[in-house]
Amino acid sequence: MGNSLKAIVAFVPFSKCQKYLLEDLEEMPVDKMVDLSGRQLRRLPLHICSFRELVKLYLSDNNLNHLPPELEQLQNLQILALDFNNFKALPLVVCTLKQLCILYLGNNKLCSLPLELRLLQNLKTLWIESNCLQYLPEVVCELSLLRTLHAGSNALRTLPPQLQCLQELRTIWLSGNLLSEFPPVLLDMPFLEVIDVDRNSIRFFPSLAHLPGLKLVIYDHNPCRNAPKVAKGVRRVGRWSEETPEPRKRSGAVIDITLDEKPLLPPAAKADPE
């Protein structure tokens, strides 16, 4: 079906037209996954909310700006993708889905996140990139099991000190923000494995050599005058990254320090929960 035809049909609320858009999706699939991405939907069909054993629901790349309260029936949902839509606020019904492990909210129009987000205590991955956030909502710091945070391409200038409470956090992506200095709170998070501050306005990098868990730091496209110092075996991506961070001299020779592991770059596709 062509996208132009879908767009026209999406305006018509009649059940036959909605059925046309959903291509006769009347029963829950065996794999407990429904993918309605790119269907030009302006509303979530209510009968989807009757699939109470549903585990994965992908609603990416539509024209959604609200969700029905009936979504609360999907209490087994672990993955919810709402990226590339028109949400100006996160529907509170999402915060009732307490089994969620992965939540995609990128490429919307969010300026904040509701306090009710703290109810999602099983959340491990949160994507909020490409929104209108001028600050990182402190409620994110209450998601105790969060391991991956994608907050790039917003308007963040700093990070809240409460972020260090997220002791399960391993990966933080902050590229394309308005950071003028390296966020001090990250210096107090020894468990971090990946830090991405690419495309910001950071002019000086403090030493990161004291972070024992660090594996990769991406700091390219900053007006910095120095590369961050890192411990042995840590991969750097940015200016002067080809230089050995802490060369060791042995018998007059310089021993190169390399990283055996492959760089942990952002995933190209949405992943399942661990």
Side-chain angles (χ1 to χ4, degrees):
M1 183 194 310
N3 285 336
S4 58
L5 181 56
K6 283 184 178 181
I8 294 174
V9 175
F11 278 102
V12 183
F14 299 119
S15 59
K16 289 184 178 180
C17 294
Q18 291 298 305
K19 186 176 181 179
Y20 179 58
L21 282 170
L22 298 177
E23 298 176 359
D24 295 323
L25 180 62
E26 296 180 351
E27 296 182 359
M28 187 181 72
V30 177
D31 59 5
K32 300 182 180 180
M33 178 186 77
V34 169
D35 187 353
L36 298 178
S37 301
R39 303 293 183 93
Q40 302 292 330
L41 295 175
R42 294 179 177 273
R43 61 183 64 84
L44 178 66
L46 288 182
H47 80 276
I48 298 297
C49 300
S50 67
F51 299 164
R52 300 198 176 194
E53 299 302 315
L54 200 65
V55 174
K56 306 173 187 178
L57 178 57
Y58 295 93
L59 300 172
S60 309
D61 193 19
N62 281 293
N63 295 305
L64 300 171
N65 56 28
H66 69 281
L67 294 172
E70 289 83 357
L71 189 73
E72 185 177 3
Q73 300 176 30
L74 303 183
Q75 286 300 312
N76 290 300
L77 208 61
Q78 296 180 27
I79 301 177
L80 177 60
L82 299 174
D83 46 332
F84 293 94
N85 276 285
N86 294 317
F87 291 103
K88 293 183 179 180
L90 179 65
L92 293 182
V93 66
V94 173
C95 301
T96 68
L97 306 175
K98 297 182 180 181
Q99 296 304 314
L100 279 183
C101 296
I102 301 178
L103 179 58
Y104 297 102
L105 299 175
N107 291 273
N108 279 285
K109 302 174 183 178
L110 302 175
C111 294
S112 63
L113 293 173
L115 293 177
E116 288 82 355
L117 189 73
R118 63 166 64 106
L119 299 175
L120 302 183
Q121 285 299 309
N122 285 308
L123 206 62
K124 295 181 179 179
T125 299
L126 177 62
W127 295 59
I128 50 176
E129 78 285 359
S130 299
N131 275 286
C132 304
L133 298 171
Q134 296 185 8
Y135 61 92
L136 184 68
E138 292 184 7
V139 66
V140 172
C141 304
E142 299 184 43
L143 303 174
S144 60
L145 295 184
L146 199 66
R147 293 184 59 86
T148 301
L149 176 60
H150 292 260
S153 299
N154 280 286
L156 305 181
R157 296 180 181 274
T158 186
L159 296 179
Q162 296 91 329
L163 193 69
Q164 64 180 305
C165 296
L166 297 182
Q167 298 192 12
E168 296 298 320
L169 193 65
R170 297 296 180 265
T171 303
I172 185 165
W173 308 97
L174 299 167
S175 63
N177 277 287
L178 301 176
L179 300 173
S180 59
E181 66 172 349
F182 187 83
V185 66
L186 300 185
L187 300 175
D188 297 323
M189 301 177 69
F191 35 80
L192 283 175
E193 297 180 358
V194 178
I195 299 175
D196 177 14
V197 289
D198 183 31
R199 294 185 293 112
N200 278 278
S201 301
I202 301 173
R203 294 185 175 276
F204 175 79
F205 280 94
S207 174
L208 306 179
H210 66 288
L211 300 179
L214 194 60
K215 297 180 180 179
L216 171 66
V217 56
I218 305 173
Y219 64 96
D220 209 6
H221 304 100
N222 280 279
C224 55
R225 299 179 180 179
N226 71 309
K229 292 184 179 180
V230 294
K232 178 181 178 180
V234 178
R235 174 72 180 275
R236 299 182 300 180
V237 177
R239 295 179 65 189
W240 311 290
S241 61
E242 70 280 358
E243 298 178 9
T244 303
E246 297 292 341
R248 292 183 178 181
K249 292 185 178 180
R250 186 178 300 170
S251 301
V254 176
I255 308 300
D256 290 336
I257 297 175
T258 59
L259 178 65
D260 294 331
E261 299 183 21
K262 295 180 180 179
L264 302 176
L265 297 178
K270 297 181 175 67
D272 290 350
E274 297 178 356

